[in-house]
Amino acid sequence: LVGGRMWHWASYVTRPTMTIYRPKGRNTGAAMLVIPGGGFHAVATDLEGTEICDWVTQEGMTCVMLKYRTPQVWPRVNGKQQRPKVLLGLEDAQRAMGLLRQQASFYGIDSNKIGAIGFSGGAYLVANMSNTEQRTYAPSDAADLQPPRPDFAIIAYTARMLDNSKGKNNLDLQPWVKISPKAPPTLIIHAMDDSVDDIRQPLAYALALNDAGVPVDMRIYAKGGHAFGMRPTGDPVTTEWPGQVNQWLHNIGIIDGG
């Protein structure tokens, strides 16, 4: 249970989909690609998907929920986890971004204001999108020739960033985490008491982005745990982070109004 209600997921996804939700009321022209978490075993379709889109569309943005291919096993070599050579979820996210850019006018979207928000494993995918322009699949049409990098990135309780083999006080990134100075402005949201993904995970990523000259903001809360989504609970993060995102988007010029 999260916020007193069960959450649901999709697994054994072989055909990725992107579901588009139009903005309610005014259209700011901005769009948000929502990438749920699920540990690469599943996709948390409501808690970190449709419920996020309910909020995004109320803010005057187009919301696109990605259901990417799962499960995908991360192999282990000598007991250490390795990143798959081909990350299916990343391919699906890049394809979705290309489609959105190519069809921006049809959907009423400003092609320069298309960002991404990810949760847990989905946050890792957003970080990957932010730091690479390469695709691991052959282009199939004009959409695959569009830039796959988001114009802004929101990272919520990210994982798989920190090289834990170097000790608790280490803030070195895993060798598969590449940082680009072309990464977009990034907002990171995390709870100090996250028992699944330690606070050092986003700290390491934030420091690396900062060192590369990428604008990065952080909103750290004492309580909230992991996978809190945006269902109201006794932890302030669950009701406050959407407003923080809204203000940040205003600060970086993506939407008008606070």
Side-chain angles (χ1 to χ4, degrees):
L1 297 177
V2 177
R5 292 182 289 131
M6 296 184 69
W7 61 279
H8 304 82
W9 65 87
S11 191
Y12 301 100
V13 179
T14 57
R15 182 187 180 193
T17 64
M18 48 184 278
T19 306
I20 299 177
Y21 299 85
R22 301 278 190 172
K24 297 175 182 177
R26 71 187 183 107
N27 182 1
T28 64
M32 187 100 74
L33 179 64
V34 176
I35 307 182
F40 296 97
H41 297 289
V43 180
T45 51
D46 54 1
L47 177 68
E48 297 167 349
T50 56
E51 294 173 19
I52 307 303
C53 282
D54 286 342
W55 162 69
V56 171
T57 54
Q58 289 173 3
E59 300 301 323
M61 293 180 280
T62 298
C63 190
V64 184
M65 194 198 85
L66 179 67
K67 184 176 70 176
Y68 52 93
R69 286 171 287 175
T70 61
Q72 181 164 28
V73 176
W74 284 52
R76 288 188 174 273
V77 177
N78 297 324
K80 285 191 65 175
Q81 189 178 63
Q82 307 292 313
R83 182 186 184 277
K85 291 183 178 180
V86 174
L87 198 56
L88 299 178
L90 177 60
E91 289 189 343
D92 299 339
Q94 291 179 324
R95 172 67 176 166
M97 186 62 69
L99 286 168
L100 288 174
R101 292 203 193 282
Q102 185 202 27
Q103 302 176 22
S105 60
F106 176 77
Y107 291 119
I109 296 171
D110 184 334
S111 61
N112 295 313
K113 293 184 177 182
I114 305 176
I117 181 172
F119 301 83
S120 193
Y124 176 80
L125 292 177
V126 171
N128 268 241
M129 293 176 70
S130 298
N131 290 283
T132 182
E133 294 179 346
Q134 296 179 332
R135 289 176 166 91
T136 54
Y137 65 92
S140 61
D141 55 27
D144 288 330
L145 302 180
Q146 295 288 328
R149 198 192 308 273
D151 296 308
F152 60 89
I154 302 165
I155 308 289
Y157 39 89
T158 188
R160 302 171 196 257
M161 294 285 192
L162 189 65
D163 188 349
N164 293 317
S165 67
K166 295 185 177 181
K168 187 175 181 179
N169 295 323
N170 164 66
L171 287 177
D172 290 341
L173 295 172
Q174 290 279 13
W176 60 70
V177 179
K178 307 303 181 184
I179 302 297
S180 169
K182 296 181 181 179
T186 300
L187 173 64
I188 296 174
I189 303 165
H190 212 90
M192 290 292 292
D193 67 344
D194 189 331
S195 61
V196 176
D197 293 313
D198 189 274
I199 185 62
R200 292 169 181 80
Q201 297 274 356
L203 283 175
Y205 182 54
L207 289 171
L209 287 177
N210 184 68
D211 289 345
V214 177
V216 55
D217 287 61
M218 298 189 74
R219 305 292 185 268
I220 306 299
Y221 288 80
K223 302 290 184 180
H226 189 80
F228 45 77
M230 60 185 305
R231 294 181 181 179
T233 70
D235 296 322
V237 62
T238 57
T239 55
E240 293 182 8
W241 78 256
Q244 296 283 334
V245 169
N246 186 297
Q247 183 62 57
W248 178 74
L249 291 173
H250 167 67
N251 293 346
I252 65 174
I254 297 297
I255 60 175
D256 56 357

mmCIF file with all atom_site columns, all heavy atoms in Angstrom, residues 13-19 65-70 88-89 91-93 95-96 99:
data_model
loop_
_atom_site.group_PDB
_atom_site.id
_atom_site.type_symbol
_atom_site.label_atom_id
_atom_site.label_alt_id
_atom_site.label_comp_id
_atom_site.label_asym_id
_atom_site.label_entity_id
_atom_site.label_seq_id
_atom_site.pdbx_PDB_ins_code
_atom_site.Cartn_x
_atom_site.Cartn_y
_atom_site.Cartn_z
_atom_site.occupancy
_atom_site.B_iso_or_equiv
_atom_site.pdbx_formal_charge
_atom_site.auth_seq_id
_atom_site.auth_comp_id
_atom_site.auth_asym_id
_atom_site.auth_atom_id
_atom_site.pdbx_PDB_model_num
ATOM 1   N N   . VAL A 1 13 ? 6.277  -6.907 -20.668 1.00 0.00 ? 13 VAL A N   1
ATOM 2   C CA  . VAL A 1 13 ? 5.902  -5.975 -21.724 1.00 0.00 ? 13 VAL A CA  1
ATOM 3   C C   . VAL A 1 13 ? 6.809  -6.222 -22.931 1.00 0.00 ? 13 VAL A C   1
ATOM 4   O O   . VAL A 1 13 ? 8.022  -6.043 -22.848 1.00 0.00 ? 13 VAL A O   1
ATOM 5   C CB  . VAL A 1 13 ? 6.042  -4.513 -21.256 1.00 0.00 ? 13 VAL A CB  1
ATOM 6   C CG1 . VAL A 1 13 ? 5.669  -3.550 -22.393 1.00 0.00 ? 13 VAL A CG1 1
ATOM 7   C CG2 . VAL A 1 13 ? 5.187  -4.262 -20.025 1.00 0.00 ? 13 VAL A CG2 1
ATOM 8   N N   . THR A 1 14 ? 6.230  -6.639 -24.039 1.00 0.00 ? 14 THR A N   1
ATOM 9   C CA  . THR A 1 14 ? 7.003  -6.885 -25.258 1.00 0.00 ? 14 THR A CA  1
ATOM 10  C C   . THR A 1 14 ? 6.751  -5.814 -26.304 1.00 0.00 ? 14 THR A C   1
ATOM 11  O O   . THR A 1 14 ? 7.532  -5.672 -27.236 1.00 0.00 ? 14 THR A O   1
ATOM 12  C CB  . THR A 1 14 ? 6.655  -8.254 -25.862 1.00 0.00 ? 14 THR A CB  1
ATOM 13  O OG1 . THR A 1 14 ? 5.242  -8.300 -26.122 1.00 0.00 ? 14 THR A OG1 1
ATOM 14  C CG2 . THR A 1 14 ? 7.021  -9.378 -24.893 1.00 0.00 ? 14 THR A CG2 1
ATOM 15  N N   . ARG A 1 15 ? 5.651  -5.071 -26.152 1.00 0.00 ? 15 ARG A N   1
ATOM 16  C CA  . ARG A 1 15 ? 5.332  -4.002 -27.088 1.00 0.00 ? 15 ARG A CA  1
ATOM 17  C C   . ARG A 1 15 ? 5.226  -2.693 -26.322 1.00 0.00 ? 15 ARG A C   1
ATOM 18  O O   . ARG A 1 15 ? 4.244  -2.462 -25.622 1.00 0.00 ? 15 ARG A O   1
ATOM 19  C CB  . ARG A 1 15 ? 4.016  -4.296 -27.807 1.00 0.00 ? 15 ARG A CB  1
ATOM 20  C CG  . ARG A 1 15 ? 3.650  -3.235 -28.845 1.00 0.00 ? 15 ARG A CG  1
ATOM 21  C CD  . ARG A 1 15 ? 2.269  -3.480 -29.404 1.00 0.00 ? 15 ARG A CD  1
ATOM 22  N NE  . ARG A 1 15 ? 1.915  -2.475 -30.405 1.00 0.00 ? 15 ARG A NE  1
ATOM 23  C CZ  . ARG A 1 15 ? 0.692  -2.289 -30.873 1.00 0.00 ? 15 ARG A CZ  1
ATOM 24  N NH1 . ARG A 1 15 ? -0.298 -3.033 -30.424 1.00 0.00 ? 15 ARG A NH1 1
ATOM 25  N NH2 . ARG A 1 15 ? 0.453  -1.366 -31.766 1.00 0.00 ? 15 ARG A NH2 1
ATOM 26  N N   . PRO A 1 16 ? 6.227  -1.832 -26.432 1.00 0.00 ? 16 PRO A N   1
ATOM 27  C CA  . PRO A 1 16 ? 6.181  -0.563 -25.686 1.00 0.00 ? 16 PRO A CA  1
ATOM 28  C C   . PRO A 1 16 ? 5.085  0.345  -26.227 1.00 0.00 ? 16 PRO A C   1
ATOM 29  O O   . PRO A 1 16 ? 4.753  0.304  -27.421 1.00 0.00 ? 16 PRO A O   1
ATOM 30  C CB  . PRO A 1 16 ? 7.563  0.039  -25.925 1.00 0.00 ? 16 PRO A CB  1
ATOM 31  C CG  . PRO A 1 16 ? 8.035  -0.573 -27.206 1.00 0.00 ? 16 PRO A CG  1
ATOM 32  C CD  . PRO A 1 16 ? 7.446  -1.955 -27.255 1.00 0.00 ? 16 PRO A CD  1
ATOM 33  N N   . THR A 1 17 ? 4.518  1.156  -25.339 1.00 0.00 ? 17 THR A N   1
ATOM 34  C CA  . THR A 1 17 ? 3.477  2.101  -25.744 1.00 0.00 ? 17 THR A CA  1
ATOM 35  C C   . THR A 1 17 ? 3.741  3.456  -25.119 1.00 0.00 ? 17 THR A C   1
ATOM 36  O O   . THR A 1 17 ? 4.377  3.558  -24.068 1.00 0.00 ? 17 THR A O   1
ATOM 37  C CB  . THR A 1 17 ? 2.077  1.630  -25.309 1.00 0.00 ? 17 THR A CB  1
ATOM 38  O OG1 . THR A 1 17 ? 2.017  1.583  -23.878 1.00 0.00 ? 17 THR A OG1 1
ATOM 39  C CG2 . THR A 1 17 ? 1.742  0.266  -25.870 1.00 0.00 ? 17 THR A CG2 1
ATOM 40  N N   . MET A 1 18 ? 3.225  4.496  -25.777 1.00 0.00 ? 18 MET A N   1
ATOM 41  C CA  . MET A 1 18 ? 3.219  5.831  -25.193 1.00 0.00 ? 18 MET A CA  1
ATOM 42  C C   . MET A 1 18 ? 1.778  6.326  -25.245 1.00 0.00 ? 18 MET A C   1
ATOM 43  O O   . MET A 1 18 ? 1.154  6.353  -26.309 1.00 0.00 ? 18 MET A O   1
ATOM 44  C CB  . MET A 1 18 ? 4.171  6.783  -25.922 1.00 0.00 ? 18 MET A CB  1
ATOM 45  C CG  . MET A 1 18 ? 4.069  6.788  -27.415 1.00 0.00 ? 18 MET A CG  1
ATOM 46  S SD  . MET A 1 18 ? 5.307  7.846  -28.214 1.00 0.00 ? 18 MET A SD  1
ATOM 47  C CE  . MET A 1 18 ? 4.537  9.443  -28.073 1.00 0.00 ? 18 MET A CE  1
ATOM 48  N N   . THR A 1 19 ? 1.249  6.680  -24.078 1.00 0.00 ? 19 THR A N   1
ATOM 49  C CA  . THR A 1 19 ? -0.127 7.141  -23.969 1.00 0.00 ? 19 THR A CA  1
ATOM 50  C C   . THR A 1 19 ? -0.113 8.641  -23.720 1.00 0.00 ? 19 THR A C   1
ATOM 51  O O   . THR A 1 19 ? 0.536  9.112  -22.779 1.00 0.00 ? 19 THR A O   1
ATOM 52  C CB  . THR A 1 19 ? -0.860 6.421  -22.825 1.00 0.00 ? 19 THR A CB  1
ATOM 53  O OG1 . THR A 1 19 ? -0.745 5.005  -23.015 1.00 0.00 ? 19 THR A OG1 1
ATOM 54  C CG2 . THR A 1 19 ? -2.324 6.806  -22.786 1.00 0.00 ? 19 THR A CG2 1
ATOM 55  N N   . MET A 1 65 ? 2.811  9.052  -20.999 1.00 0.00 ? 65 MET A N   1
ATOM 56  C CA  . MET A 1 65 ? 3.280  7.976  -20.133 1.00 0.00 ? 65 MET A CA  1
ATOM 57  C C   . MET A 1 65 ? 3.874  6.852  -20.971 1.00 0.00 ? 65 MET A C   1
ATOM 58  O O   . MET A 1 65 ? 3.228  6.346  -21.895 1.00 0.00 ? 65 MET A O   1
ATOM 59  C CB  . MET A 1 65 ? 2.150  7.416  -19.273 1.00 0.00 ? 65 MET A CB  1
ATOM 60  C CG  . MET A 1 65 ? 2.676  6.550  -18.126 1.00 0.00 ? 65 MET A CG  1
ATOM 61  S SD  . MET A 1 65 ? 1.434  5.467  -17.392 1.00 0.00 ? 65 MET A SD  1
ATOM 62  C CE  . MET A 1 65 ? 1.534  4.061  -18.489 1.00 0.00 ? 65 MET A CE  1
ATOM 63  N N   . LEU A 1 66 ? 5.085  6.483  -20.648 1.00 0.00 ? 66 LEU A N   1
ATOM 64  C CA  . LEU A 1 66 ? 5.788  5.436  -21.383 1.00 0.00 ? 66 LEU A CA  1
ATOM 65  C C   . LEU A 1 66 ? 5.665  4.101  -20.652 1.00 0.00 ? 66 LEU A C   1
ATOM 66  O O   . LEU A 1 66 ? 5.988  3.996  -19.470 1.00 0.00 ? 66 LEU A O   1
ATOM 67  C CB  . LEU A 1 66 ? 7.270  5.806  -21.530 1.00 0.00 ? 66 LEU A CB  1
ATOM 68  C CG  . LEU A 1 66 ? 8.131  4.782  -22.270 1.00 0.00 ? 66 LEU A CG  1
ATOM 69  C CD1 . LEU A 1 66 ? 7.728  4.705  -23.743 1.00 0.00 ? 66 LEU A CD1 1
ATOM 70  C CD2 . LEU A 1 66 ? 9.617  5.126  -22.152 1.00 0.00 ? 66 LEU A CD2 1
ATOM 71  N N   . LYS A 1 67 ? 5.188  3.107  -21.351 1.00 0.00 ? 67 LYS A N   1
ATOM 72  C CA  . LYS A 1 67 ? 5.232  1.723  -20.855 1.00 0.00 ? 67 LYS A CA  1
ATOM 73  C C   . LYS A 1 67 ? 6.315  1.022  -21.670 1.00 0.00 ? 67 LYS A C   1
ATOM 74  O O   . LYS A 1 67 ? 6.130  0.717  -22.837 1.00 0.00 ? 67 LYS A O   1
ATOM 75  C CB  . LYS A 1 67 ? 3.878  1.029  -21.035 1.00 0.00 ? 67 LYS A CB  1
ATOM 76  C CG  . LYS A 1 67 ? 3.841  -0.379 -20.456 1.00 0.00 ? 67 LYS A CG  1
ATOM 77  C CD  . LYS A 1 67 ? 2.447  -0.994 -20.556 1.00 0.00 ? 67 LYS A CD  1
ATOM 78  C CE  . LYS A 1 67 ? 2.111  -1.308 -21.992 1.00 0.00 ? 67 LYS A CE  1
ATOM 79  N NZ  . LYS A 1 67 ? 0.804  -1.994 -22.132 1.00 0.00 ? 67 LYS A NZ  1
ATOM 80  N N   . TYR A 1 68 ? 7.468  0.834  -21.054 1.00 0.00 ? 68 TYR A N   1
ATOM 81  C CA  . TYR A 1 68 ? 8.625  0.303  -21.754 1.00 0.00 ? 68 TYR A CA  1
ATOM 82  C C   . TYR A 1 68 ? 8.777  -1.201 -21.525 1.00 0.00 ? 68 TYR A C   1
ATOM 83  O O   . TYR A 1 68 ? 8.143  -1.784 -20.652 1.00 0.00 ? 68 TYR A O   1
ATOM 84  C CB  . TYR A 1 68 ? 9.898  1.052  -21.342 1.00 0.00 ? 68 TYR A CB  1
ATOM 85  C CG  . TYR A 1 68 ? 10.125 1.138  -19.846 1.00 0.00 ? 68 TYR A CG  1
ATOM 86  C CD1 . TYR A 1 68 ? 10.897 0.203  -19.159 1.00 0.00 ? 68 TYR A CD1 1
ATOM 87  C CD2 . TYR A 1 68 ? 9.568  2.182  -19.098 1.00 0.00 ? 68 TYR A CD2 1
ATOM 88  C CE1 . TYR A 1 68 ? 11.114 0.296  -17.797 1.00 0.00 ? 68 TYR A CE1 1
ATOM 89  C CE2 . TYR A 1 68 ? 9.775  2.282  -17.740 1.00 0.00 ? 68 TYR A CE2 1
ATOM 90  C CZ  . TYR A 1 68 ? 10.536 1.342  -17.097 1.00 0.00 ? 68 TYR A CZ  1
ATOM 91  O OH  . TYR A 1 68 ? 10.736 1.435  -15.736 1.00 0.00 ? 68 TYR A OH  1
ATOM 92  N N   . ARG A 1 69 ? 9.633  -1.809 -22.314 1.00 0.00 ? 69 ARG A N   1
ATOM 93  C CA  . ARG A 1 69 ? 9.764  -3.272 -22.290 1.00 0.00 ? 69 ARG A CA  1
ATOM 94  C C   . ARG A 1 69 ? 10.410 -3.774 -20.987 1.00 0.00 ? 69 ARG A C   1
ATOM 95  O O   . ARG A 1 69 ? 11.438 -3.263 -20.561 1.00 0.00 ? 69 ARG A O   1
ATOM 96  C CB  . ARG A 1 69 ? 10.590 -3.734 -23.492 1.00 0.00 ? 69 ARG A CB  1
ATOM 97  C CG  . ARG A 1 69 ? 9.846  -3.680 -24.809 1.00 0.00 ? 69 ARG A CG  1
ATOM 98  C CD  . ARG A 1 69 ? 10.764 -3.932 -25.987 1.00 0.00 ? 69 ARG A CD  1
ATOM 99  N NE  . ARG A 1 69 ? 11.632 -2.773 -26.240 1.00 0.00 ? 69 ARG A NE  1
ATOM 100 C CZ  . ARG A 1 69 ? 12.603 -2.759 -27.154 1.00 0.00 ? 69 ARG A CZ  1
ATOM 101 N NH1 . ARG A 1 69 ? 12.848 -3.842 -27.880 1.00 0.00 ? 69 ARG A NH1 1
ATOM 102 N NH2 . ARG A 1 69 ? 13.343 -1.672 -27.331 1.00 0.00 ? 69 ARG A NH2 1
ATOM 103 N N   . THR A 1 70 ? 9.767  -4.736 -20.379 1.00 0.00 ? 70 THR A N   1
ATOM 104 C CA  . THR A 1 70 ? 10.260 -5.422 -19.179 1.00 0.00 ? 70 THR A CA  1
ATOM 105 C C   . THR A 1 70 ? 9.783  -6.866 -19.224 1.00 0.00 ? 70 THR A C   1
ATOM 106 O O   . THR A 1 70 ? 8.823  -7.176 -19.935 1.00 0.00 ? 70 THR A O   1
ATOM 107 C CB  . THR A 1 70 ? 9.706  -4.774 -17.890 1.00 0.00 ? 70 THR A CB  1
ATOM 108 O OG1 . THR A 1 70 ? 8.288  -4.876 -17.886 1.00 0.00 ? 70 THR A OG1 1
ATOM 109 C CG2 . THR A 1 70 ? 10.105 -3.330 -17.761 1.00 0.00 ? 70 THR A CG2 1
ATOM 110 N N   . LEU A 1 88 ? 16.733 -1.832 -23.048 1.00 0.00 ? 88 LEU A N   1
ATOM 111 C CA  . LEU A 1 88 ? 15.491 -1.758 -23.814 1.00 0.00 ? 88 LEU A CA  1
ATOM 112 C C   . LEU A 1 88 ? 14.660 -0.533 -23.439 1.00 0.00 ? 88 LEU A C   1
ATOM 113 O O   . LEU A 1 88 ? 14.077 0.130  -24.300 1.00 0.00 ? 88 LEU A O   1
ATOM 114 C CB  . LEU A 1 88 ? 14.667 -3.031 -23.608 1.00 0.00 ? 88 LEU A CB  1
ATOM 115 C CG  . LEU A 1 88 ? 15.334 -4.337 -24.053 1.00 0.00 ? 88 LEU A CG  1
ATOM 116 C CD1 . LEU A 1 88 ? 14.427 -5.518 -23.745 1.00 0.00 ? 88 LEU A CD1 1
ATOM 117 C CD2 . LEU A 1 88 ? 15.672 -4.292 -25.536 1.00 0.00 ? 88 LEU A CD2 1
ATOM 118 N N   . GLY A 1 89 ? 14.581 -0.235 -22.145 1.00 0.00 ? 89 GLY A N   1
ATOM 119 C CA  . GLY A 1 89 ? 13.810 0.916  -21.707 1.00 0.00 ? 89 GLY A CA  1
ATOM 120 C C   . GLY A 1 89 ? 14.351 2.227  -22.263 1.00 0.00 ? 89 GLY A C   1
ATOM 121 O O   . GLY A 1 89 ? 13.585 3.139  -22.591 1.00 0.00 ? 89 GLY A O   1
ATOM 122 N N   . GLU A 1 91 ? 15.973 2.540  -25.170 1.00 0.00 ? 91 GLU A N   1
ATOM 123 C CA  . GLU A 1 91 ? 15.575 2.579  -26.573 1.00 0.00 ? 91 GLU A CA  1
ATOM 124 C C   . GLU A 1 91 ? 14.132 3.069  -26.714 1.00 0.00 ? 91 GLU A C   1
ATOM 125 O O   . GLU A 1 91 ? 13.821 3.905  -27.572 1.00 0.00 ? 91 GLU A O   1
ATOM 126 C CB  . GLU A 1 91 ? 15.711 1.187  -27.198 1.00 0.00 ? 91 GLU A CB  1
ATOM 127 C CG  . GLU A 1 91 ? 17.139 0.734  -27.398 1.00 0.00 ? 91 GLU A CG  1
ATOM 128 C CD  . GLU A 1 91 ? 17.230 -0.544 -28.203 1.00 0.00 ? 91 GLU A CD  1
ATOM 129 O OE1 . GLU A 1 91 ? 16.200 -1.246 -28.335 1.00 0.00 ? 91 GLU A OE1 1
ATOM 130 O OE2 . GLU A 1 91 ? 18.327 -0.844 -28.715 1.00 0.00 ? 91 GLU A OE2 1
ATOM 131 N N   . ASP A 1 92 ? 13.249 2.552  -25.861 1.00 0.00 ? 92 ASP A N   1
ATOM 132 C CA  . ASP A 1 92 ? 11.840 2.938  -25.929 1.00 0.00 ? 92 ASP A CA  1
ATOM 133 C C   . ASP A 1 92 ? 11.649 4.414  -25.589 1.00 0.00 ? 92 ASP A C   1
ATOM 134 O O   . ASP A 1 92 ? 10.839 5.107  -26.215 1.00 0.00 ? 92 ASP A O   1
ATOM 135 C CB  . ASP A 1 92 ? 11.014 2.064  -24.987 1.00 0.00 ? 92 ASP A CB  1
ATOM 136 C CG  . ASP A 1 92 ? 11.085 0.586  -25.355 1.00 0.00 ? 92 ASP A CG  1
ATOM 137 O OD1 . ASP A 1 92 ? 11.423 0.270  -26.510 1.00 0.00 ? 92 ASP A OD1 1
ATOM 138 O OD2 . ASP A 1 92 ? 10.807 -0.259 -24.478 1.00 0.00 ? 92 ASP A OD2 1
ATOM 139 N N   . ALA A 1 93 ? 12.405 4.908  -24.605 1.00 0.00 ? 93 ALA A N   1
ATOM 140 C CA  . ALA A 1 93 ? 12.303 6.315  -24.214 1.00 0.00 ? 93 ALA A CA  1
ATOM 141 C C   . ALA A 1 93 ? 12.818 7.227  -25.325 1.00 0.00 ? 93 ALA A C   1
ATOM 142 O O   . ALA A 1 93 ? 12.221 8.277  -25.611 1.00 0.00 ? 93 ALA A O   1
ATOM 143 C CB  . ALA A 1 93 ? 13.077 6.561  -22.923 1.00 0.00 ? 93 ALA A CB  1
ATOM 144 N N   . ARG A 1 95 ? 12.900 6.526  -28.508 1.00 0.00 ? 95 ARG A N   1
ATOM 145 C CA  . ARG A 1 95 ? 11.932 6.451  -29.598 1.00 0.00 ? 95 ARG A CA  1
ATOM 146 C C   . ARG A 1 95 ? 10.732 7.363  -29.310 1.00 0.00 ? 95 ARG A C   1
ATOM 147 O O   . ARG A 1 95 ? 10.267 8.083  -30.189 1.00 0.00 ? 95 ARG A O   1
ATOM 148 C CB  . ARG A 1 95 ? 11.477 5.004  -29.769 1.00 0.00 ? 95 ARG A CB  1
ATOM 149 C CG  . ARG A 1 95 ? 10.323 4.796  -30.744 1.00 0.00 ? 95 ARG A CG  1
ATOM 150 C CD  . ARG A 1 95 ? 10.725 5.099  -32.164 1.00 0.00 ? 95 ARG A CD  1
ATOM 151 N NE  . ARG A 1 95 ? 9.620  4.802  -33.095 1.00 0.00 ? 95 ARG A NE  1
ATOM 152 C CZ  . ARG A 1 95 ? 9.576  5.214  -34.352 1.00 0.00 ? 95 ARG A CZ  1
ATOM 153 N NH1 . ARG A 1 95 ? 10.569 5.932  -34.850 1.00 0.00 ? 95 ARG A NH1 1
ATOM 154 N NH2 . ARG A 1 95 ? 8.554  4.912  -35.130 1.00 0.00 ? 95 ARG A NH2 1
ATOM 155 N N   . ALA A 1 96 ? 10.246 7.322  -28.071 1.00 0.00 ? 96 ALA A N   1
ATOM 156 C CA  . ALA A 1 96 ? 9.116  8.175  -27.691 1.00 0.00 ? 96 ALA A CA  1
ATOM 157 C C   . ALA A 1 96 ? 9.466  9.651  -27.838 1.00 0.00 ? 96 ALA A C   1
ATOM 158 O O   . ALA A 1 96 ? 8.665  10.445 -28.346 1.00 0.00 ? 96 ALA A O   1
ATOM 159 C CB  . ALA A 1 96 ? 8.688  7.866  -26.259 1.00 0.00 ? 96 ALA A CB  1
ATOM 160 N N   . LEU A 1 99 ? 9.406  10.621 -31.499 1.00 0.00 ? 99 LEU A N   1
ATOM 161 C CA  . LEU A 1 99 ? 8.044  10.731 -32.009 1.00 0.00 ? 99 LEU A CA  1
ATOM 162 C C   . LEU A 1 99 ? 7.394  12.037 -31.553 1.00 0.00 ? 99 LEU A C   1
ATOM 163 O O   . LEU A 1 99 ? 6.690  12.698 -32.320 1.00 0.00 ? 99 LEU A O   1
ATOM 164 C CB  . LEU A 1 99 ? 7.217  9.534  -31.546 1.00 0.00 ? 99 LEU A CB  1
ATOM 165 C CG  . LEU A 1 99 ? 7.522  8.200  -32.246 1.00 0.00 ? 99 LEU A CG  1
ATOM 166 C CD1 . LEU A 1 99 ? 6.865  7.053  -31.498 1.00 0.00 ? 99 LEU A CD1 1
ATOM 167 C CD2 . LEU A 1 99 ? 7.046  8.237  -33.697 1.00 0.00 ? 99 LEU A CD2 1
#
